[in-house]
Amino acid sequence: MNPDVTTELYPAERLARVQEATADYGLRAVLLTPGPDLRYVTGYDAIQMERLTCLVVPASADPFLVVPRLELPAAQASPAGRLGIEMVSWDETDDPFALVAARLPAGAGRVGVADRMWAVMSLRFRDALPGTEQVAAGNVLRQLRMRKSAAEIDALREAGAAIDRVHQVVPRLLRAGRTEREVGRDIAAEILAEGHSVVDFVIVASGPNGSSPHHEVSDRVIRDGDPVVVDIGGTMPSGYCSDETRTYSVGEPPVRFRDYYEVLREAQQAACDAVRPGVTPEAVDAAARDLIAKAGYGEYFIHRTGHGIGLETHEDPYIVEGNTEPLRPGMAFSIEPGIYLPAEHGARIEDIVVCTEDGYERMNLVDRGLHVI
Amino acid sequence: MNPDVTTELYPAERLARVQEATADYGLRAVLLTPGPDLRYVTGYDAIQMERLTCLVVPASADPFLVVPRLELPAAQASPAGRLGIEMVSWDETDDPFALVAARLPAGAGRVGVADRMWAVMSLRFRDALPGTEQVAAGNVLRQLRMRKSAAEIDALREAGAAIDRVHQVVPRLLRAGRTEREVGRDIAAEILAEGHSVVDFVIVASGPNGSSPHHEVSDRVIRDGDPVVVDIGGTMPSGYCSDETRTYSVGEPPVRFRDYYEVLREAQQAACDAVRPGVTPEAVDAAARDLIAKAGYGEYFIHRTGHGIGLETHEDPYIVEGNTEPLRPGMAFSIEPGIYLPAEHGARIEDIVVCTEDGYERMNLVDRGLHVI
């Protein structure tokens, strides 16, 4: 990553914001092991492993980063090296949990642990900090992480353009006689070739497999007349993720499929049109769901309408019934209604959108009509 | 995976063994979310995500698998489908933690949670099961997972042969004028081409970068006379991991490097020769360390001698001072001493070995002499 981009995407002042939020939430400290929370706060893309790396952000003392001695050069060279925080290294036979406990400001009270911290580590912290209750650090971080900065939206736009380019070549890869797995392998290579550093998932769900929303790939041979759901995504060098679904048809699809595909397209548009500040996620979900139900396909839309996206493919806010926390500018999430006819076929259309001051912006721009190949 | 291989690698009777171990350990149940523990017990390679998937193994009632409705077809089609266990699906607006709590046999007592369960989930279970203490399920599973079956050793042998083939092409990729990153990209492609399904890590540490054991790749241009540490690994379709280090030299290396490389080679051999049932991991560590110390390089061997390997690249047993639990036949681990001269260069030699009835078997067979290119 270009150092200027890193500085904009992971600004040094974020650490102070997290410290304020830790105090506001009434926590003694948050403990962040490698994963999206640590990367969000410091820019450090550390590897999760059995040796403890942990950023400690006390509510009212200086933050510090505990790292295995082996990882110290990498930590210093990472964006975390710019933050001017103390790095405390430990050796192979030390107990790093005791080390954190000893350095935490005295007192009882609650601590936040990174949402994705391995339980084997949170349990070690529980034992090292008797009388301290753990809560999910996501409670502290989610208000910050949900509202993307301009630099983060740029990163999502870049990710969206990269996955758009992959969808543009999908029609050349999909054809009768090839297996889903073969097509999937080619798509994975394109995901990397178009600028992602990691392939996160590749779904190529042809014919009846399209009726299972989370089918991945199989050895099924694609046949003429098959609808094919292609849902793909990866992580960019920035750390930000892409996720886009288009539905294709290899040759002329069944008549009923054409019918509900048009319903789905209108539903996806209706949900997007519902997005603006102050609207609840459940209202966005309902905008798609009501339209699909009215057309008689309600029982075949068996999942929520979307999920937030950023440093994780799935994060807050979830676009689901029951989520009544109003949308705000900068929130980024998928809009991906689907219709799945058991044992027959299915369709899904998915774009990432960002809530703007007065509506929404799509990160994905590939045509949403049925792509008949 | 061929279904016969799956059945041998993930035998159905393993679930009963885990249930016995759960009872022996005095736990009410173990709760296994997606990850290596779940895969070990069922063969199900589920994706870790925010929607709860959880195998519940009570000490004295039938096991069941809780899955999001969306994942039910994938779970049924996975090797877990052979086990004849109940699959309990939940819908988008259900609370799956409450669902698990309601179905657990009554009573207080401790439960085991998968070592890699996300803390955000273990905290939800804590709240859903008041009065129940959590412990790491690894305590229950480690005795089983540490001792590999014949099928698991076959899988490790297959992984070892695949990464051996990659090291055999490394000399063609490494040359003066190329950056570490360029070489690393080519190696990653070879890791996939030789049969791995995932690239887990690629370290190409040239010249002074070789003195940092966990350096990955950089834009440093490799120069004539550079020693280069190449430590690479991936995961095979079986789920089992490879991990192998060889040290190369692009042109003639510094004289001092040649000197300590020979010490290192003897140390790696000495540690391998120490492996047999009944010997402690710390004695294996000492076999390498003492020899390196005697040659005057003790302060430059700054990490443990090795780590267990299987469904995780790093797992029990760790070959480290303080680990006195004797080796047993079927235990698989790396032997990877290193010597690192700060700001100058470094070297590491790593093989995966399996403890046999009377000694050890190496999974990696590429020549361990210095490869001068």
Side-chain angles (χ1 to χ4, degrees):
Chain A
M1 290 273 298
N2 175 319
D4 293 345
V5 173
T6 302
T7 304
E8 280 177 33
L9 208 49
Y10 301 100
E13 62 267 26
R14 201 172 266 169
L15 185 56
R17 293 258 200 80
V18 171
Q19 191 160 32
E20 286 160 22
T22 302
D24 289 349
Y25 203 78
L27 299 185
R28 202 170 145 208
V30 295
L31 309 177
L32 304 182
T33 44
D37 289 334
L38 177 65
R39 190 163 191 186
Y40 179 78
V41 178
T42 66
Y44 181 25
D45 183 24
I47 297 164
Q48 174 74 298
M49 54 150 83
E50 76 287 359
R51 291 186 183 98
L52 182 75
T53 290
C54 186
L55 177 72
V56 181
V57 187
S60 52
D62 290 337
F64 56 95
L65 183 66
V66 171
V67 286
R69 183 174 164 195
L70 288 184
E71 305 302 328
L72 188 59
Q76 286 165 333
S78 85
R82 305 160 306 160
L83 301 178
I85 56 174
E86 187 184 1
M87 297 202 184
V88 183
S89 67
W90 58 276
D91 285 303
E92 295 284 56
T93 53
D94 294 341
D95 176 354
F97 300 92
L99 190 158
V100 169
R103 284 180 152 256
L104 263 190
R110 298 177 303 159
V111 298
V113 296
D115 284 18
R116 288 200 187 182
M117 185 185 287
W118 288 351
V120 70
M121 292 185 171
S122 64
L123 294 173
R124 292 285 303 272
F125 276 125
R126 179 197 65 187
D127 296 342
L129 294 164
T132 298
E133 189 195 348
Q134 294 181 357
V135 302
N139 295 309
V140 171
L141 291 164
R142 68 188 291 278
Q143 290 301 331
L144 295 169
R145 282 188 54 189
M146 267 200 296
R147 297 192 60 175
K148 270 67 180 174
S149 68
E152 288 181 279
I153 295 168
D154 283 346
L156 285 169
R157 211 180 274 117
E158 183 192 41
I163 203 73
D164 268 357
R165 291 193 296 274
V166 179
H167 267 295
Q168 273 151 359
V169 304
V170 166
R172 292 208 302 272
L173 306 175
L174 264 184
R175 55 176 181 273
R178 300 196 79 196
T179 67
E180 293 174 356
R181 199 179 306 279
E182 287 165 352
V183 174
R185 200 176 297 139
D186 290 349
I187 290 176
E190 293 290 341
I191 290 173
L192 295 177
E194 292 300 345
H196 297 82
S197 48
V198 180
V199 178
D200 290 325
F201 54 91
V202 175
I203 293 175
V204 180
S206 66
N209 290 338
S211 68
S212 174
H214 276 187
H215 175 82
E216 295 176 16
V217 294
S218 75
D219 293 317
R220 182 179 186 279
V221 176
I222 296 165
R223 296 185 213 159
D224 193 54
D226 276 348
V228 187
V229 178
V230 177
D231 185 352
I232 53 181
T235 303
M236 300 291 285
S238 65
Y240 285 77
C241 298
S242 68
D243 186 0
E244 181 178 13
T245 310
R246 291 293 181 265
T247 299
Y248 301 84
S249 180
V250 176
E252 189 54 32
V255 172
R256 192 172 183 203
F257 178 84
R258 276 219 181 259
D259 177 53
Y260 72 75
Y261 189 86
E262 283 312 306
V263 172
L264 183 65
R265 185 143 80 124
E266 287 167 30
Q268 205 263 354
Q269 183 65 50
C272 290
D273 289 340
V275 172
R276 61 184 172 280
V279 170
T280 64
E282 71 171 10
V284 174
D285 181 80
R289 200 167 302 277
D290 291 351
L291 210 145
I292 290 171
K294 206 173 293 174
Y297 292 100
E299 69 183 296
Y300 304 118
F301 176 19
I302 57 176
H303 55 71
R304 64 194 177 202
T305 290
H307 54 80
I309 189 167
L311 288 169
E312 294 173 86
T313 306
H314 290 186
E315 59 179 48
D316 286 316
Y318 291 97
I319 310 303
V320 64
E321 189 192 326
N323 187 355
T324 58
E325 187 177 349
L327 296 177
R328 296 279 166 241
M331 288 183 176
F333 44 88
S334 69
I335 298 280
E336 50 173 314
I339 295 177
Y340 309 96
L341 268 55
E344 293 189 45
H345 34 63
R348 182 164 64 256
I349 303 172
E350 174 186 28
D351 291 318
I352 303 305
V353 305
V354 174
C355 182
T356 61
E357 291 296 333
D358 55 2
Y360 69 96
E361 178 189 341
R362 290 187 206 256
M363 304 289 106
N364 303 106
L365 304 175
V366 171
D367 188 88
R368 279 162 288 277
L370 179 65
H371 298 255
V372 178
I373 300 165
Chain B
M1 290 275 297
N2 176 319
D4 292 343
V5 174
T6 302
T7 303
E8 280 177 33
L9 209 47
Y10 300 101
E13 62 267 26
R14 202 172 265 170
L15 185 56
R17 294 260 200 80
V18 171
Q19 192 160 30
E20 287 161 21
T22 302
D24 288 349
Y25 203 78
L27 300 185
R28 202 170 143 207
V30 294
L31 308 177
L32 303 183
T33 43
D37 288 334
L38 177 65
R39 190 163 190 187
Y40 178 78
V41 178
T42 65
Y44 182 25
D45 184 24
I47 297 165
Q48 172 74 297
M49 53 150 78
E50 77 286 359
R51 292 185 181 100
L52 182 74
T53 290
C54 186
L55 176 72
V56 181
V57 186
S60 52
D62 289 338
F64 56 96
L65 183 68
V66 172
V67 286
R69 184 172 162 195
L70 288 183
E71 305 302 328
L72 188 58
Q76 286 165 332
S78 84
R82 304 161 304 160
L83 301 178
I85 56 175
E86 187 183 3
M87 297 203 184
V88 183
S89 67
W90 59 274
D91 284 305
E92 296 283 58
T93 53
D94 294 340
D95 176 353
F97 300 91
L99 191 158
V100 169
R103 285 181 151 255
L104 262 191
R110 299 176 304 160
V111 298
V113 296
D115 284 19
R116 288 199 186 183
M117 185 184 288
W118 288 352
V120 71
M121 293 186 170
S122 64
L123 294 172
R124 292 286 302 274
F125 277 124
R126 179 198 64 188
D127 296 343
L129 294 164
T132 298
E133 189 196 347
Q134 294 180 357
V135 300
N139 294 309
V140 171
L141 290 163
R142 67 189 292 279
Q143 290 302 332
L144 294 170
R145 283 188 54 190
M146 267 200 295
R147 296 191 61 175
K148 271 66 182 174
S149 68
E152 289 181 278
I153 295 169
D154 283 346
L156 286 169
R157 212 179 273 118
E158 183 192 42
I163 204 72
D164 267 357
R165 291 193 296 274
V166 179
H167 268 296
Q168 272 152 359
V169 304
V170 166
R172 293 208 300 272
L173 306 175
L174 264 185
R175 57 178 178 269
R178 301 195 78 195
T179 68
E180 292 174 355
R181 198 178 307 281
E182 287 164 353
V183 174
R185 199 176 299 138
D186 290 348
I187 290 175
E190 293 289 341
I191 290 174
L192 295 176
E194 292 300 345
H196 296 83
S197 49
V198 180
V199 178
D200 290 324
F201 54 91
V202 175
I203 293 175
V204 180
S206 66
N209 291 336
S211 68
S212 174
H214 277 186
H215 175 81
E216 295 175 17
V217 294
S218 76
D219 293 316
R220 183 178 184 280
V221 176
I222 296 165
R223 296 184 213 159
D224 192 55
D226 275 348
V228 187
V229 178
V230 176
D231 184 352
I232 53 181
T235 304
M236 300 292 285
S238 65
Y240 284 77
C241 298
S242 68
D243 185 359
E244 181 178 14
T245 310
R246 290 293 182 264
T247 299
Y248 301 83
S249 180
V250 176
E252 188 54 31
V255 173
R256 193 175 182 200
F257 178 84
R258 276 218 180 259
D259 177 53
Y260 72 75
Y261 188 85
E262 282 312 305
V263 172
L264 184 64
R265 185 143 79 124
E266 286 168 30
Q268 206 263 354
Q269 183 65 51
C272 291
D273 289 340
V275 172
R276 62 183 173 279
V279 169
T280 63
E282 72 170 10
V284 174
D285 180 81
R289 201 168 301 277
D290 291 351
L291 208 146
I292 290 171
K294 205 172 294 176
Y297 291 101
E299 67 183 296
Y300 304 119
F301 176 19
I302 58 177
H303 56 70
R304 64 192 178 203
T305 291
H307 53 81
I309 190 167
L311 289 168
E312 294 174 86
T313 305
H314 290 185
E315 59 180 47
D316 285 316
Y318 291 99
I319 310 303
V320 64
E321 189 192 326
N323 187 354
T324 58
E325 187 178 350
L327 296 177
R328 296 278 166 240
M331 289 184 176
F333 44 88
S334 69
I335 298 281
E336 51 172 315
I339 295 177
Y340 309 95
L341 267 55
E344 292 189 45
H345 34 64
R348 183 165 60 258
I349 303 170
E350 174 186 28
D351 292 316
I352 304 304
V353 305
V354 174
C355 182
T356 60
E357 291 296 334
D358 55 1
Y360 69 95
E361 178 190 341
R362 290 187 205 257
M363 304 288 107
N364 303 109
L365 304 175
V366 171
D367 188 89
R368 279 162 287 277
L370 179 66
H371 298 254
V372 178
I373 301 166

